[in-house]
Amino acid sequence: MSPDAFAVQFLNGLASASTLFLIAVGLSLIFGVTRIVNFAHGSFYMLGIFVAYSLVTRIGDSPFGFWVSMLLAALVVAIVGLLVELVLLRRIYQAPELFQLLATFAVVLIVRDATLAIWGPEDLLGPRAPGLKGSVDILGRQFPTYDLVLICIGPAVLAALWFVLTRTRFGVLIRAATQDRDMVGALGVNQAWLFSGVFALGAFLAALGGALQLPREPANLGIDLVAIGEAFVVVVVGGMGSIPGAFLAAFIIAEIKAMCFAIGQTTLFGVSFSFSKLTLVVEFLVMAAVLIWRPWGLMGRPGAATRNAAEIEVPLKPADARTRKLGWVVLIALVLLPLVGTAFPYTIVLSIDILVAVLFATSLHFIMGPGGMHSFGHAAYFGLGAYGAGLLVKQLGWPMEGALAAAPVAAAVGALIFGWFCVRLSGVYLAMLTLAFAQIVWSIAFQWDELTGGSNGIVGLWPAEWLSEKWAYYYLTLTLTVAGVLLLWRVLLAPFGYALRAGRDSPLRADAIGIDVFHTQWMGFVLAGAVCGVAGGLFAFSKGSIAPEAISVGRSIDGLVMVLLGGIQTLSGPVVGAALFTWLQDLIAREFQYWRAALGFTILVLVLAFPLGVAGSIKRLFVKEVA
Amino acid sequence: MSLLEVRGLSKAFGGVRAVANVTFEVNAGELLALIGPNGAGKSTCFNMLNGQLTPDAGAIAFEGQSITGMKPRQVWRRGVGRTFQITATFSSMTVRENVQVALLSHHGRLKSLFTRACDQFVDEANALLERVGMRPQAERPCSVLAYGDLKRLELAVALANKPRLLLMDEPTAGMAPKERIALMALAADIVRTDNIGVLFTEHDMDVVFAHASRMIVLNRGELIAAGAPAAVRADPEVQRIYLGSRH
Ligand SMILES: Nc1ncnc2c1ncn2[C@@H]1O[C@H](COP(=O)(O)OP(=O)(O)OP(=O)(O)O)[C@@H](O)[C@H]1O
Ligand SMILES: [Mg+2]
């Protein structure tokens, strides 16, 4: 690599680091003070770009107008953030962590559609910054002047925050709250005011980061999830709640990415390898490495990430006679469905989707609920099953039946490896590491064109002859789903399931009565992964193809929503949640352009009305003695 | 040979010497009280004995074999049960299920994937609950129990593997006086009938003097007195530490 190329890429890295820092630092601040992992933070970033676009195209012709637009955009979004805090978050600070995540995810959906409604679906490219349109000469190469300004903004914001945190009362309170939440109460501070202020500040910083990107990249509707993914990585690598940590992590990650671009295609040990392809996954590799080596992040403190005590659970019981009867009724209805379904062919198609979702959600619930491991990357095992089966058919010419049988094996092998790392962590850190592994699986599927077909995926995966009729495939799906769900339920009521719950309820006590908590959780992780792999295999053959999109972070999130919607505390929860979610999504998506927002509002209503989930709340009506 | 032999046990947290060079024994058939003011290092001692903390120095031998540095689950398999100062139970299970899990573990059945857990070792679990007076509450969710009942449940769980040594960290804290006496009478009864050793910590001196066969006193991590209750009570240094602070 020539020195000039290196220098330019290094500067590029610094410019990206500034933006990354602006998004991440707000997320970190909000987490530090409120202990909320704010999924909607990427949405504030996205809103920042869009609002800045509207302002700059109106008043941004002069340098003064441009910079005023930047600040105004951030301010507008800060007010949006404030409203979100006042209307929604304020009600759920005491709620379990997952419940909060779900609520902020609903905000993501709503903001996405609001943006679509206001600005339309097209990418919007903003004008370049007046007065900074040129470029400077760096070792004979051109480097945009604007990016140099951007490079300076990151450290400037860091300095400004440093000043606020050390010199103002607001800052001192933020630091106190980050270190010890009880202390704030002891100081007699108006905690509500502090939380609102921090949330608005975080939204301001994220939106500023977004607005400043306007001259560099088009305003696009998909960047909210990209931004939140990157911001999570930076916050986790830097240490949750640590501002210098966020700065350091943003620098490291942006520079590693920039260097991957700079190196590009090279030959290592005789193998040609594209480093620029690595950029999609490299931040997740960094995060995985940091979490394994220093689970609390580079500059975080161990134990800083406390979470609200889990909800007290009602003991799991084998189904009573009435529940069994209900189960039989549902099962018989499902078996009879194709008889009426022939009149409505779409019913069968939708039912297959629902059954696959049920299997997916039940396997996620297995590790999330009784296992206590909140996986944000369950799509990985779905993807390993789907791609495993697809590759066996396409590359090795296996028959469909054999490939489907191998799907759980592929997923289990992945879960065995990933789980070994993930199970060591807990809470938010475990969630982030599972997400990282899922992202790695996704980007391999996305990048490795020769093997996986890249973004198009693997096509032409059809069921065997005897399953080619939709109803036949429906029966296969029904059989495997029912078998999978019953298997997991059975295991949960078996001694192994008790050991799993014991490890979640009290690792201390479990260890003190001879339970190997790590091993138990690891095996639980693998079992759930295997069952999830079946769902992936069924999915691939039902659609005739598998593409990276189907195994993206969106699927992991859908799974979480299904489980939480149905209720994490009941065995039937994920089944009800998956069916309801898939059906609602299908219904709304067909009828209504703004289905995401509708889904978001539905989620909000459901989580505010049924904090135990739908199935959990119904169950509560019937269970007398509950804590 | 004593049941438990502890030699030169030490542990520091940063600059705090929580336990410093502590040596003592527990014999079968005795209730040994470990007393000391708050922060004296009692719980830290317990945590090293059952493997939850690794000692910085020192040796622990149970029935003549070293258990130093073992994991809690290995120590438990050797026959050492314990209760925690802050009760640790499985809140998503019923009272009986808490005991059943311990029994399943003791019998090596926890790996079973398909048998139904709540049908196993029901009688044994009931018998253990009967022993600690929790039989009437067997079906209740553990999460609704009163604190004193949780302590008794913990005792039943700790007894599930028929331990030869029982470690009880403040077994009567949070209990009414009557309950305290009943619980310690129960412990004394277990010691007598099963001929096991019990090491317990306790802040209530009435409880200690009523039940302890022997006692040892920790202060700031160091062992400052050991012997029969009457002798320890008369020890001037023990009196100095306890006068003014408590009792
Ligand atoms: N995990 C830890 N990290 C740091 N310091 C610790 C830790 N555990 C205990 N300590 C310190 O070690 C000392 C002994 O604590 P320990 O809990 O053993 O006391 P104790 O005798 O059980 O007190 P109490 O009667 O309050 O239960 C205390 O100063 C305590 O602050
Ligand atoms: Mg203690």
Side-chain angles (χ1 to χ4, degrees), chain A residues 511-514, chain B residues 3-4 49-50 60-81 106 158 161-166:
Chain A
D511 199 12
I513 58 164
Chain B
L3 187 62
L4 181 78
L49 294 183
N50 93 312
I60 309 163
F62 178 62
E63 296 181 330
Q65 292 185 324
S66 169
I67 55 166
T68 325
M70 279 189 181
K71 294 191 164 62
R73 57 174 191 275
Q74 296 166 321
V75 174
W76 183 79
R77 295 242 175 258
R78 296 278 174 119
V80 181
H106 176 54
N161 68 332
K162 300 199 171 63
R164 266 116 40 227
L165 174 68
L166 196 56

Side-chain angles (χ1 to χ4, degrees), chain A residues 45-327:
Chain A
Y45 170 82
M46 179 180 75
L47 270 184
I49 307 193
F50 277 97
V51 176
Y53 175 86
S54 291
L55 289 170
V56 166
T57 47
R58 282 180 183 78
I59 60 166
D61 289 336
S62 65
F64 179 75
F66 178 85
W67 292 104
V68 166
S69 307
M70 295 289 120
L71 287 177
L72 264 183
L75 217 55
V76 169
V77 178
I79 292 169
V80 174
L82 189 66
L83 287 176
V84 170
E85 201 274 343
L86 291 176
V87 174
L88 176 63
L89 298 186
R90 187 149 285 195
R91 298 172 200 281
I92 56 171
Y93 282 126
Q94 304 306 324
E97 182 182 72
L98 280 169
F99 184 77
Q100 299 170 338
L101 278 173
L102 192 56
T104 59
F105 184 69
V107 174
V108 172
L109 295 173
I110 294 166
V111 170
R112 171 79 72 93
D113 268 359
T115 312
L116 174 66
I118 298 172
W119 285 279
E122 304 296 326
D123 284 5
L124 303 174
L125 186 57
R128 286 199 273 159
L132 297 169
K133 290 182 183 165
S135 52
V136 290
D137 186 284
I138 306 274
L139 300 176
R141 293 204 180 208
Q142 297 302 305
F143 189 78
T145 320
Y146 182 76
D147 289 12
L148 281 182
V149 175
L150 204 54
I151 289 174
C152 302
I153 289 177
V157 169
L158 178 67
L161 278 175
W162 200 250
F163 179 82
V164 169
L165 286 178
T166 50
R167 294 293 144 79
T168 67
R169 185 173 149 72
F170 181 59
V172 170
L173 290 176
I174 290 180
R175 284 192 302 151
T178 306
Q179 271 152 29
D180 181 358
R181 291 183 78 180
D182 302 332
M183 207 162 110
V184 190
L187 288 171
V189 182
N190 186 344
Q191 180 172 308
W193 170 81
L194 179 67
F195 281 22
S196 308
V198 166
F199 205 80
L201 176 63
F204 179 88
L205 291 169
L208 185 63
L212 291 170
Q213 280 303 93
L214 185 66
R216 298 179 87 216
E217 64 169 320
N220 163 297
L221 278 175
I223 52 175
D224 50 355
L225 283 185
V226 177
I228 190 64
E230 293 189 335
F232 272 154
V233 170
V234 170
V235 169
V236 168
V237 168
M240 315 253 334
S242 163
I243 290 169
F247 191 78
L248 180 68
F251 171 77
I252 291 174
I253 287 169
E255 282 306 339
I256 290 179
K257 273 190 160 184
M259 288 309 122
C260 284
F261 272 123
I263 296 168
Q265 192 88 21
T266 41
T267 310
L268 274 181
F269 310 111
V271 185
S272 174
F273 187 79
S274 166
F275 272 91
S276 34
K277 280 194 174 183
L278 206 59
T279 48
L280 271 185
V281 69
V282 71
E283 66 211 75
F284 292 99
L285 288 175
V286 171
M287 176 163 89
V290 168
L291 279 177
I292 290 158
W293 164 63
R294 232 182 117 84
W296 52 90
L298 294 176
M299 298 184 75
R301 289 179 314 147
T306 56
R307 50 182 162 152
N308 293 353
E311 286 252 350
I312 289 165
E313 292 208 4
V314 184
L316 291 179
K317 282 270 167 272
D320 56 22
R322 196 168 53 173
T323 316
R324 271 167 192 276
K325 217 177 274 169
L326 183 67

Side-chain angles (χ1 to χ4, degrees), chain B residues 128-174:
Chain B
L128 282 166
L129 289 172
E130 188 75 60
R131 197 166 187 189
V132 300
M134 287 291 290
R135 177 73 182 84
Q137 305 199 56
E139 319 280 341
R140 297 187 77 197
C142 176
S143 54
V144 302
L145 292 187
Y147 195 68
D149 290 343
L150 276 177
K151 289 259 169 193
R152 291 193 286 163
L153 170 58
E154 260 209 317
L155 182 57
V157 169
L159 290 173
N161 68 332
K162 300 199 171 63
R164 266 116 40 227
L165 174 68
L166 196 56
L167 309 172
M168 300 202 287
D169 199 353
E170 305 206 5
T172 70

